[in-house]
Each structure stands twice: as C-alpha cells, then as structure tokens.
Amino acid sequence: MLADLVEHVIGVDPDRDRITAAVVAARTEAEIARSEFPATASGYRQVIEWANEHSTTESRVWSVEGTGRYGAGLTATLNHEAEWVIEFD
C-alpha cells in the first residue's frame, strides 16, 4: 500500500490554465491543504514550495492526472527536482 511508503500524497488536477493541488495524509486520507496555482513555470515552482510547507520530499508522492497532457509541464518540473510522481487517471 502507498500508505506504507509515504506520509503524504499530493494530488494534482491540472487543466489548461491552472493546477489544483491537495495534500492528503496517506494513512487517513484526510485533506490537509488545498490550493490553486497557474499552469506556468512559475506556478509549478509555487506548488512545489507550497507542498514543502505541508510535507517533506522524503515522505511524499505526487499523484498527477494526465502526466502526458495538461500535467506534462508540472511532471517535467517534478522529475527535474527528483520528486516521486505517479500518474492518476
């Protein structure tokens, strides 16, 4: 189970203009925080900084919808930062 590997899941729902992200406790599935960011390079940096406020890189995974479509830019940024990313359909 994912909860055995990480403390937090950062769920991301991207669209053309914005990305909506939520930090969820892996064990309880409780939402800790939610926010929206522009779907731009600057917005991708902002969502990472925001996630750092609510979780640590060592104990989280990013679940991104559409890593090959609207989530491609964020996914590329996360991969560059050596973050763990899984695709969510």
Side-chain angles (χ1 to χ4, degrees):
M1 284 189 56
L2 198 54
D4 294 332
L5 302 173
V6 297
E7 291 181 32
H8 299 102
V9 177
I10 314 297
V12 180
D13 181 15
D15 66 26
R16 189 188 66 164
D17 299 318
R18 71 175 182 270
I19 52 177
T20 303
V23 178
V24 176
R27 291 197 193 285
T28 65
E29 299 179 12
E31 184 177 292
I32 297 169
R34 175 184 294 261
S35 194
E36 291 185 359
F37 305 89
T40 62
S42 174
Y44 304 151
R45 297 298 321 150
Q46 291 173 25
V47 72
I48 293 170
E49 291 170 10
W50 171 83
N52 288 340
E53 295 174 11
H54 302 286
S55 63
T56 63
T57 58
E58 297 82 22
S59 65
R60 70 181 177 212
V61 63
W62 294 77
S63 176
V64 180
E65 181 181 13
T67 58
R69 298 184 61 222
Y70 287 133
L74 176 62
T75 299
T77 301
L78 293 170
N79 285 333
H80 183 264
E81 296 295 320
E83 293 276 356
W84 183 16
V85 179
I86 57 176
E87 182 169 21
F88 175 75
D89 288 329

